[in-house]
Amino acid sequence: MTAGPSVEPSAEQLRTRIPADVLALCQRLRAAGHRAHLVGGGVRDMLLGRPPADFDVATDAVPDAVLALFGHTFAIPTGLKHGTVTVLTDAEPRRPVEVTTFRGEGDYLDGRRPSSVSYVQSLDEDLSRRDFTMNAIGFDPVDGRITDPFDGQGDLRRRLIRAVGDPVARFREDGLRPLRAVRQAAQLEFEIDPPTRRAIPQTLDVVRKVSAERIRDELFKMLGARQPSRGLRLMQETGLLGVVIPELLEGIGCAQNRFHKHDVFGHTLAVVDETRGDPVARLGALLHDVGKPRARQPKDDAPGEFSFFKHEYVGADLADEICRRLKLANADRERVVAMVKNHMFFYMPDWTDGTIRRFVRRVGGSAGLADLFALREGDVRGRGFGEDPDGEIGELRRRIAEVASADAALRVTDLAIDGRDVMRILGVSPGPRIGVILERLLDCVLDDPSLNERERLAALVPEVAAQFSERTGPPPARRPS
Ligand code: ATP
Ligand code: MG
């Protein structure tokens, strides 16, 4: 566990940590006769000595007054329904700060999000509709005054996530809150206060109503934590995982073989923690073995052991389904699915340069490789035997670099035939098409260098030309970038 700050900052110290542009924004509201309090994650993070992700300001000024004060160039009505105006500060580059009118709890008719917004007069009322005590602290940077009606500072000191008010009632109002609790527990490496934690299994029906997009955003933030397993374990224990990615539960108690200390689920969590990459790569790690339980077969020749033949394909299909359900962007989904599908590669020293090239192509070029290597490194470290990941992929990495640098040296002019040959074979006159055909031929040669002979290339020309004339767009990039 990382230690919290031993001495928490005083209000005066806090004031000196506020960036000048954020302070100026608050001063401007104050000068116009309004109130201005920093609230939410920005205050929480500064009290913890962590860099804040963003700053939010709560004010008694209504959105129209905020818009008038900052002008339409620098104040954008991003969430008028929620009383929010995004003000761009005069920092370089301009920093967006959400300025929200003091709000009460709207009527949560369906547990999804407030169906209406009511403005309230006081900061205290605004703070009382916030989710957790640590997120319900206000700080007026002009007066240097902290407002903390629910002892959020005490909970920060105790490293506890605690609902403001009755946890079951608060979770019933908005089913995203249980997910925010586990996500923030993972990010901050906090515990969830027992009554708040106990409220999660009681409110899963409300979580089920939350939109896939909001769930996805929480999941991604959780996967960005140092150890996402903290949140994933909590999700499993509280039932949230069964709502969000129930397929992963199949790995609990799913034993593997003597090379693995953990069941599939335990192994997966260890790999996620050890995979270095963005949340999309971490999601690929989370799902890399999702097909294992369904593909598991007892081994005839080894009692008590199992094979997982083709689990990567079973897993890729499941991963595709899961990513669609979570409404990932297409490019992110494709990355995740490619990681799952391609993770079972085993380099052998007898791989030829052609095998290397085909492998690189199959996994989607250098971007796909980076994801796969991050996953494999995570896998090796996650096995927990202290092995060096380089032992497993170092040689393959070096071979790929060698082949790529040799290929980069290869140009169209290195081909065994030239543009005049192409024109002669096709009976056509000069034009841009000739260059494109030569590029395509080079592509073939990169795949299979033995093709780079006059006769063999000449024989390929009509085929390549026909492919190109059928194509509507330009040919694909020659080499994975
Ligand atoms: P992050 O570090 O991810 O920005 P955050 O706590 O600041 O975490 P935001 O989504 O930026 O989260 O929300 C800002 C503040 O708004 C929160 O700190 C909390 O006070 C309040 N809030 C956000 N979402 C909810 C919610 N679903 N229910 C109640 N209050 C919420
Ligand atoms: Mg925030």
Side-chain angles (χ1 to χ4, degrees), residues 240-432:
L240 283 169
L241 195 59
V243 176
V244 178
I245 313 184
E247 294 85 347
L248 288 172
L249 298 177
E250 295 169 22
I252 296 173
C254 181
Q256 305 197 67
N257 52 41
R258 61 181 180 255
F259 303 114
H260 289 90
K261 312 201 267 203
H262 306 293
D263 61 6
V264 171
F265 186 68
H267 162 73
T268 298
L269 296 195
V271 177
V272 174
D273 283 359
E274 295 293 347
T275 297
R276 295 173 190 159
D278 65 359
V280 178
R282 242 87 184 275
L283 184 59
L286 181 62
L287 299 180
H288 82 283
D289 274 347
V290 71
K292 267 193 166 175
R294 298 188 193 186
R296 189 168 80 144
Q297 300 279 342
K299 273 191 181 165
D300 295 338
D301 48 348
E305 300 232 342
F306 301 92
S307 72
F308 298 92
F309 189 54
K310 298 217 164 175
H311 76 269
E312 65 274 36
Y313 299 105
V314 177
D317 286 347
L318 282 172
D320 189 76
E321 219 174 281
I322 293 165
C323 292
R324 286 179 195 275
R325 196 170 69 217
L326 290 171
K327 301 244 172 14
L328 260 71
N330 288 340
D332 291 346
R333 171 172 50 80
E334 284 161 13
R335 263 180 75 192
V336 170
V337 172
M339 284 176 77
V340 179
K341 188 170 75 190
N342 297 323
H343 81 273
M344 293 294 286
F345 63 90
F346 297 98
Y347 172 75
M348 295 286 181
D350 66 356
W351 281 20
T352 64
D353 288 358
T355 316
I356 299 273
R357 288 191 188 89
R358 274 187 295 277
F359 172 71
V360 172
R361 266 184 179 239
R362 184 166 61 78
V363 306
S366 51
L369 276 177
D371 282 342
L372 280 186
F373 285 160
L375 171 57
R376 180 60 62 88
E377 284 172 351
D379 197 325
V380 174
R381 282 191 292 264
R383 279 178 223 153
F385 296 120
E387 298 159 272
D388 177 6
D390 200 60
E392 215 161 290
I393 51 176
E395 187 59 25
L396 176 56
R397 265 212 171 104
R398 283 186 281 279
R399 287 285 307 281
I400 290 172
E402 263 170 40
V403 172
S405 69
D407 289 353
L410 205 56
R411 311 243 169 274
V412 168
T413 50
D414 297 322
L415 289 173
I417 62 175
D418 62 16
R420 276 177 316 224
D421 298 317
V422 174
M423 289 187 280
R424 189 171 39 73
I425 294 165
L426 295 174
V428 297
S429 19

Side-chain angles (χ1 to χ4, degrees), residues 131-132 161-179 181-182 192-207 234 237-240:
D131 49 6
F132 306 118
I161 294 178
R162 185 161 62 89
V164 170
D166 173 39
V168 173
R170 300 308 313 284
F171 288 176
R172 289 225 157 270
E173 288 165 354
D174 180 2
L176 191 71
R177 289 173 186 162
L179 277 166
V182 295
I192 303 180
D193 190 46
T196 299
R197 183 180 159 138
R198 280 197 296 273
I200 299 177
Q202 299 173 49
T203 50
L204 295 176
D205 57 309
V206 199
V207 180
L234 275 170
E237 290 161 7
T238 55
L240 283 169

Side-chain angles (χ1 to χ4, degrees), residues 25-26 29-30 33-39 56-63 65-66 69-70 83 85 98-103 119-123 126 130:
L25 183 158
C26 293
L29 280 163
R30 290 291 303 266
H34 302 296
R35 298 172 57 194
H37 301 268
L38 292 168
V39 287
D56 296 295
V57 170
T59 180
D60 58 348
V62 294
V66 178
L69 192 58
F70 291 93
V85 172
E98 292 204 342
V99 177
T100 304
T101 311
F102 291 155
R103 271 172 49 184
Y119 296 135
V120 294
Q121 291 308 308
S122 76
L123 174 67
D126 179 275
R130 294 177 181 271

